[in-house]
Amino acid sequence: MNDILLEVKQLKTYFFTEDGIVPAVDDVSFNIHKGETVAIVGESGSGKSVTSLSIMRLIEEPGKIVGGEINFEGINLNKVPRMKMREIRGNRIAMVFQEPLTSLNPVFTVGNQLAESIKLHQKKSKKEAREIGIEMLRKVGIARPDKVYDQYPHALSGGMRQRVMIAMALSCSPKLLIADEPTTALDVTIQAQILRLMRDLIKELDTSILLITHDLGVVAEMADTVVVMYGGQVVEKADVFTLFKEPKHPYTKGLMDSSPKIHEWNEELVSIPGTVPSPFEFPIGCKFADRCPHVMNKCKEEIPSLIEIRKGQEVRCWLHSEKVVDLE
Amino acid sequence: MNYFIKRVLEIIPVLFIISFIVFVLVFVAGDPVALLLPEDAPEEAVETLRTSLGLDDPFYVQYGRYVVNMLQGDFGDSFRYGQDAMSLVLERLPATLELAIASILVAIMIAIPLGIWSSTKKNSSIDLVATGAAVLGKAMPNFWLGIMLILLFSVTLDMLPVSGRGSFSHLILPAITLGTGIAAEMTRLIRSSMLETLSQDYIRTAKSKGLRTGIVVYKHAFRNTLVPVVTIIALQTSTLIGGTLITETVFAWPGIGQLLIQAVNTRDMAIVQACVMVIAFFVIVMNLIADLLYQVLDPRIRYK
Amino acid sequence: MPDSLPMQNNLVKNSKWKRWLKLLLRSKTGTVGLLIVLTIVFVAIFAPWLAPYEHSVIDPLNTHKPPFWMEGGDMANVLGTDNLGRDILSRIIYGSQVSLLVGISSVVLAGVIGVLVGLFAGYFGGFLDAFFMRLADSFLAIPNILLALVMLGVFGPGLMTLILVLGVTNWVQYARIIRGEVLSIKERDFVRAAKTIGVKNRNIIFSHLYPNVISSFIVVATLSVASTIILESSLSFLGLGIQPPQVSWGTILSDGRDYLATSWWLATFPGLAITIAVLGIIFLGDWLRDVMDPRSVK
């Protein structure tokens, strides 16, 4: 397996708050291969965004990466000096955020912000950066890119701004693009356009994607591999076909049942009972125990470990670890 | 441009209300004739003077006359100096402006670096010292700080002149006195506005591009903080002018403040009126300038 | 069901106080602020018993005595005496009465004026609102100290005028808070709904105004006691505030200013008293803001 681009190994990111320690990301591992799209799925508070910010080393006080490795192209990002990390950020790994409305600086033109990373990472002059920038805007499907280049962000629509964000992220041809809920804030019709755009560009640039989302529709459309997170832990990991066909973890099943399916529109929508508890109120055992329809006594006492139940599918659930034992 | 005209038009009623307030105060203050004539002046002399000054006219006639004169910059003659009050005030204006500008510069030089610095190192010892100094600066009465500075630098160390205006060294203590007082409030506001900016999504975007912390802070964050900072400076104009009044008294600085306080003490109402109108006008114009500067500094406003 | 409500309220109140105490003790500056304020209130109330001397007793044989730790000073006059032989410590202790009295009563006065204007302007809107807001703008264009100076010049200095003048100059901020709140209440859905079923506007506003505004009101008022104390001392320093034989921190400072070269303690200690008092109030006010403003809760 030499084509692994990013290897996240037992990553632990904790927040040291006044009220106590919050393990926002607790022992998370996954790999991203070259050209692959990996989706992390979960509700808010599952630790999916903190995982992505940890990879970028953009965790702010009081958060801290307390353990694990993030190996990217053979370098452990967790150990790299700050200077070197800045050379990777925006250049080898780029990021697109959820809120296109607030993710662009309102007081600088689109071009100013676009040229910034081109000048920085590709050592181009202002004029060259402008040309590259306008070319990127054209690539992300913006009409009259030379005009938009000199406009301020608020003059653009949400979808346009997200295109600008993508142009900015891809301007240095990164090897990995982290997209944190890239379409959540957009209209449904625009969502599809943006997803298509991302997929096309990635193929062209041979970029891998780490997609952070809560939307299974987006996952089905984009992902090769899916990582389901709950309470800071990976609860299930599988390729996209297996996961949608045979979800094993009760939480994954719950997610599937609670998202609308176009072809079964008359089927009743089921929601997962309860809500994600506050970080201090997770059960001692399995973090999903309180909301799980199949909860057993054991679940409340001991955290199950992530077990590979078949090739390419891993689950963290006592239901399935028992089965594995039975089979053996 | 439309907005500009609207703002300018808004100034007019405000100036009229101020002139009315001042006029009523002076009207209530009563008869200036007693101050003009010797105590044993004959009754007819008092009457003649009252009539010639128009003091027997009804209130609205007097106010009407006052407004007409005011629009020509005429507030009457000072009883004490026997000169046109407005020109006396304008004579003193440069001294006050000199002090005000020097103080603002001192305040900006302290507050901007300190505010930014403490916001980027939130809860560090630097932050604690900066916020502590800001609170202390707010708690210290300005005139007391001035007196303490005189005590230290003029009386004890004999480094700087005690009072008066003239050389640059005369300006140092008054400007520091007034400047630090304003810097205190400014630092606090810059810090909190920087903290808010630093938590914005676009700062995270800037960081994700691999920009240096310096560029993230000074380009992306501070540029966004400029709008509130300009507001703060403009809103401090009122405090600043209020501060000059008392600082000028402490340092015997020959500006409007000194003139005004003398005038209040001697009930020289022509000068008092002229001073109030000039100061109010100045404050209003500064706020207007700040308003217009927004448009330049914040493109979101510019487009509206 | 209705019977259980008052009890529940009581419970909520009780735990609320406990929560506040907890929050207070967690904040060092808040605790320090409260201690300073309580001390000053205590000193002001019990001044006649706490002060070693009457504040205006002259002792011609005992002038310009330095504080006790300096040569020539002793414990009879802990902080020394002034040019007339008056005990500085006693004068500062008595001075706290005026500072607190002026600070609190003029803020209350300003609050009352501001609330009335704000309610009026917000409730009636239209021309009345426009007029009061222009009036507010006008007041903001004149520095507080300037307006106070002119009014004191017209009406003559003294304690009562000072309170009135400072009350009248400070109403704007309260009026703005109340007006803004009234306007936003008028716009809310439940108010519109209530109107359609015939509930009087007035009743709605009064029943919803109180809880929403009270917190920002208390914070602004607390901090404004601090700035009023500074303003009072400034005016007294200029000779337009408190008149002898009454004594305030500003007048002591003003007396001491002429003897800077020989007796530094005259101007230093009253200024220190003002600074500490104002610092305490600011600390308390900032803490109140942190606790009461739900937006600032992290």
Side-chain angles (χ1 to χ4, degrees):
Chain A
M1 287 300 249
N2 211 11
D3 61 342
I4 290 181
L5 178 72
L6 178 84
E7 181 189 30
V8 175
K9 230 159 98 183
Q10 293 167 341
L11 178 67
K12 288 182 179 161
T13 305
Y14 291 2
F15 282 77
F16 298 86
T17 69
E18 266 178 43
D19 303 310
I21 299 171
V22 179
V25 173
D26 201 7
D27 199 7
V28 166
S29 308
F30 61 90
N31 296 335
I32 300 177
H33 298 87
K34 281 182 184 145
E36 186 187 28
T37 297
V38 174
I40 301 184
V41 188
E43 291 166 280
S44 54
S46 61
K48 56 192 194 318
S49 284
V50 177
T51 306
S52 66
L53 290 173
S54 301
I55 295 168
M56 290 294 271
R57 280 245 313 259
L58 286 175
I59 294 293
E60 306 258 341
E61 289 284 327
K64 205 170 175 255
I65 300 174
V66 291
E69 283 175 34
I70 303 165
N71 294 316
F72 174 76
E73 295 186 317
I75 316 164
N76 184 357
L77 297 183
N78 206 357
K79 293 262 153 61
V80 149
R82 287 224 306 237
M83 275 268 290
K84 180 85 182 145
M85 190 62 217
R86 280 203 299 265
E87 281 171 26
I88 294 170
R89 242 183 247 150
N91 188 20
R92 312 291 296 162
I93 308 179
M95 200 156 172
V96 175
F97 295 96
Q98 177 173 3
E99 288 290 338
L101 296 174
T102 53
S103 292
L104 288 167
N105 197 326
V107 299
F108 297 110
T109 59
V110 166
N112 185 327
Q113 300 181 59
L114 191 52
E116 226 171 15
S117 46
I118 300 171
K119 282 191 286 190
L120 179 74
H121 296 300
Q122 302 182 28
K123 311 274 181 284
K124 300 285 185 194
S125 71
K126 200 179 165 186
K127 216 180 130 213
E128 290 167 321
R130 187 188 168 90
E131 276 165 27
I132 299 173
I134 290 176
E135 185 50 38
M136 279 313 296
L137 288 178
R138 183 171 296 124
K139 261 193 190 156
V140 295
I142 286 177
R144 294 204 289 171
D146 48 330
K147 189 167 165 274
V148 170
Y149 190 86
D150 293 313
Q151 272 176 333
Y152 286 93
H154 61 267
L156 308 177
S157 69
M160 291 266 273
R161 285 190 222 187
Q162 198 60 305
R163 283 172 198 268
V164 170
M165 284 296 292
I166 291 170
M168 232 159 79
L170 295 180
S171 62
C172 297
S173 317
K175 285 289 121 198
L176 176 65
L177 176 71
I178 301 177
D180 188 349
E181 304 266 9
T183 56
T184 307
L186 301 173
D187 289 345
V188 183
T189 46
I190 314 234
Q191 281 187 13
Q193 288 174 16
I194 296 283
L195 288 179
R196 201 171 310 130
L197 172 74
M198 279 174 58
R199 226 174 21 206
D200 295 348
L201 284 174
I202 280 141
K203 218 164 268 168
E204 189 185 325
L205 295 168
D206 191 28
T207 298
S208 305
I209 296 192
L210 177 61
L211 182 70
I212 313 291
T213 186
H214 68 280
D215 184 343
L216 286 174
V218 174
V219 173
E221 185 122 339
M222 299 283 290
D224 302 313
T225 305
V226 186
V227 177
V228 182
M229 280 185 76
Y230 187 82
Q233 294 177 326
V234 175
V235 293
E236 184 158 7
K237 199 157 54 172
D239 70 88
V240 68
F241 298 109
T242 313
L243 192 88
F244 274 88
K245 215 168 112 200
E246 282 179 65
K248 290 290 185 221
H249 197 281
Y251 177 65
T252 317
K253 286 181 188 164
L255 276 184
M256 304 247 172
D257 292 339
S258 62
S259 63
K261 297 171 199 76
I262 296 166
H263 305 295
E264 302 161 32
W265 57 273
N266 53 356
E267 194 177 304
E268 205 179 325
L269 267 185
V270 191
S271 64
I272 306 173
T275 50
V276 183
S278 98
F280 304 107
E281 286 160 359
F282 277 117
I284 307 162
C286 172
K287 301 210 169 183
F288 190 58
D290 285 356
R291 302 173 71 191
C292 184
H294 310 293
V295 63
M296 305 176 292
N297 279 336
K298 194 172 190 185
C299 304
K300 293 177 176 166
E301 285 153 15
E302 211 179 320
I303 304 183
S305 44
L306 197 62
I307 289 170
E308 185 163 29
I309 54 165
R310 70 169 81 152
K311 192 165 164 34
Q313 187 167 21
E314 290 170 48
V315 181
R316 186 191 293 275
C317 182
W318 286 122
L319 286 174
H320 300 287
S321 63
E322 299 292 327
K323 271 182 198 158
V324 171
V325 175
D326 286 350
L327 283 175
E328 283 166 358
Chain B
M1 211 55 210
N2 232 339
Y3 174 74
F4 176 73
I5 292 167
K6 199 179 141 229
R7 282 289 280 117
V8 172
L9 288 179
E10 266 176 16
I11 290 178
I12 295 169
V14 169
L15 279 175
F16 267 101
I17 293 175
I18 293 172
S19 77
F20 187 74
I21 294 171
V22 174
F23 180 78
V24 169
L25 281 175
V26 174
F27 193 81
V28 170
D31 219 326
V33 173
L35 290 168
L36 286 171
L37 294 169
E39 265 177 49
D40 53 352
E43 195 74 10
E44 308 95 76
V46 174
E47 272 313 308
T48 327
L49 188 60
R50 286 187 63 89
T51 319
S52 75
L53 287 173
L55 293 172
D56 289 331
D57 295 333
F59 176 83
Y60 62 89
V61 175
Q62 289 194 41
Y63 179 63
R65 189 161 51 224
Y66 168 78
V67 168
V68 171
N69 288 335
M70 182 187 79
L71 290 176
Q72 298 159 355
D74 180 10
F75 290 88
D77 287 350
S78 152
F79 298 143
R80 188 156 174 259
Y81 294 90
Q83 279 180 46
D84 174 41
M86 193 63 181
S87 50
L88 278 169
V89 171
L90 292 180
E91 225 169 75
R92 299 288 193 103
L93 192 60
T96 297
L97 284 183
E98 181 185 315
L99 177 58
I101 291 168
S103 310
I104 274 283
L105 287 180
V106 169
I108 287 174
M109 282 189 301
I110 296 173
I112 289 183
L114 207 58
I116 292 179
W117 202 18
S118 60
S119 71
T120 54
K121 302 213 177 347
K122 200 186 165 198
N123 294 336
S124 68
S125 45
I126 290 160
D127 185 28
L128 283 179
V129 170
T131 40
V135 176
L136 195 65
K138 221 180 144 192
M140 265 195 287
N142 231 282
F143 58 97
W144 184 62
L145 177 63
I147 289 172
M148 290 298 107
L149 288 175
I150 291 176
L151 190 61
L152 181 62
F153 290 102
S154 308
V155 177
T156 311
L157 298 174
D158 201 18
M159 281 164 63
L160 294 163
V162 177
S163 63
R165 179 180 178 225
S167 66
F168 179 71
S169 61
H170 282 91
L171 184 60
I172 296 175
L173 287 187
I176 289 178
T177 303
L178 197 48
T180 45
I182 293 164
E185 187 67 12
M186 238 193 226
T187 308
R188 251 163 88 105
L189 289 164
I190 290 176
R191 176 179 175 272
S192 64
S193 129
M194 272 297 282
L195 280 178
E196 202 194 312
T197 314
L198 284 172
S199 69
Q200 296 291 321
D201 287 347
Y202 53 77
I203 296 300
R204 200 179 47 186
T205 309
K207 283 182 190 162
S208 79
K209 284 197 262 184
L211 300 173
R212 275 188 296 118
T213 318
I215 292 184
V216 173
V217 170
Y218 287 96
K219 182 182 168 187
H220 285 269
F222 185 63
R223 183 65 177 66
N224 272 283
T225 325
L226 263 187
V227 177
V229 166
V230 166
T231 329
I232 294 159
I233 293 176
L235 286 178
Q236 296 277 316
T237 320
S238 176
T239 320
L240 176 73
I241 300 292
T244 56
L245 299 184
I246 196 153
T247 308
E248 284 179 11
T249 311
V250 172
F251 289 95
W253 187 265
I256 293 183
Q258 218 194 17
L259 182 73
L260 174 82
I261 286 161
Q262 279 168 8
V264 168
N265 276 318
T266 55
R267 306 197 129 211
D268 199 341
M269 285 306 168
I271 289 188
V272 171
Q273 291 171 38
C275 280
V276 174
M277 289 313 292
V278 167
I279 289 172
F281 185 73
F282 189 70
V283 172
I284 291 170
V285 168
M286 280 303 289
N287 283 332
L288 183 68
I289 291 176
D291 241 23
L292 298 179
L293 265 180
Y294 289 165
Q295 333 259 325
V296 183
L297 292 175
D298 192 338
R300 278 167 300 184
I301 302 171
R302 210 184 306 161
Y303 270 79
K304 273 176 193 160
Chain C
M1 249 334 245
D3 289 29
S4 69
L5 269 177
M7 232 179 73
Q8 225 173 2
N9 260 345
N10 247 344
L11 267 176
V12 170
K13 247 182 202 162
N14 222 333
S15 65
K16 223 180 186 177
W17 279 112
K18 264 188 200 154
R19 193 178 70 97
W20 276 52
L21 196 68
K22 224 190 214 166
L23 284 167
L24 180 68
L25 292 177
R26 199 190 272 181
S27 156
K28 272 182 218 136
T29 50
T31 314
V32 170
L34 186 70
L35 286 179
I36 292 177
V37 171
L38 288 178
T39 310
I40 293 167
V41 170
F42 178 80
V43 166
I45 293 173
F46 297 102
W49 293 276
L50 289 171
Y53 304 93
E54 239 312 295
H55 60 81
S56 297
V57 172
I58 292 171
D59 186 354
L61 297 176
N62 198 20
T63 62
H64 293 288
K65 197 161 118 186
F68 74 91
W69 63 86
M70 285 177 66
E71 219 182 302
D74 56 42
M75 290 306 285
N77 303 96
V78 177
L79 296 181
T81 61
D82 68 3
N83 57 316
L84 297 174
R86 295 175 292 195
D87 181 49
I88 294 296
L89 179 64
S90 305
R91 285 175 75 71
I92 288 178
I93 288 175
Y94 275 100
S96 66
Q97 293 183 326
V98 166
S99 295
L100 269 196
L101 183 68
V102 173
I104 293 171
S105 36
S106 64
V107 164
V108 168
L109 181 62
V112 170
I113 300 175
V115 169
L116 289 179
V117 170
L119 280 177
F120 246 70
Y123 181 73
F124 290 106
F127 171 76
L128 211 62
D129 184 35
F131 170 73
F132 276 124
M133 286 306 106
R134 285 295 92 76
L135 190 67
D137 287 347
S138 313
F139 270 80
L140 286 182
I142 311 175
N144 270 351
I145 190 168
L146 176 61
L147 190 60
L149 266 176
V150 174
M151 288 173 75
L152 286 168
V154 169
F155 299 114
L159 182 64
M160 276 318 284
T161 9
L162 196 59
I163 292 173
L164 287 176
V165 161
L166 293 180
V168 169
T169 47
N170 267 324
W171 60 273
V172 174
Q173 42 188 341
Y174 306 101
R176 291 207 155 169
I177 295 174
I178 302 287
R179 173 182 172 268
E181 196 61 34
V182 171
L183 288 183
S184 85
I185 289 172
K186 271 164 96 180
E187 284 306 306
R188 270 175 228 165
D189 287 342
F190 69 86
V191 176
R192 291 198 181 143
K195 256 198 221 165
T196 56
I197 59 168
V199 183
K200 282 233 175 73
N201 222 342
R202 194 173 39 212
N203 297 344
I204 307 166
I205 287 178
F206 280 104
S207 58
H208 287 101
L209 193 59
Y210 171 79
N212 282 323
V213 183
I214 194 81
S215 58
S216 43
F217 197 85
I218 288 177
V219 171
V220 171
T222 309
L223 291 173
S224 132
V225 169
S227 56
T228 309
I229 287 179
I230 290 189
L231 202 52
E232 177 276 318
S233 66
S234 310
L235 291 165
S236 297
F237 172 76
L238 294 174
L240 283 157
I242 299 300
Q243 298 297 304
Q246 269 176 327
V247 58
S248 95
W249 292 335
T251 54
I252 313 172
L253 232 168
S254 173
D255 291 341
R257 187 184 156 213
D258 298 333
Y259 305 97
L260 218 48
T262 50
S263 317
W264 58 266
W265 54 92
L266 298 187
T268 306
F269 294 126
L272 217 53
I274 301 170
T275 308
I276 292 170
V278 172
L279 210 55
I281 299 170
I282 291 178
F283 279 158
L284 189 65
D286 279 351
W287 171 76
L288 281 175
R289 167 163 43 209
D290 289 347
V291 180
M292 293 180 122
D293 185 358
R295 274 163 302 178
S296 71
V297 173
K298 276 146 217 160

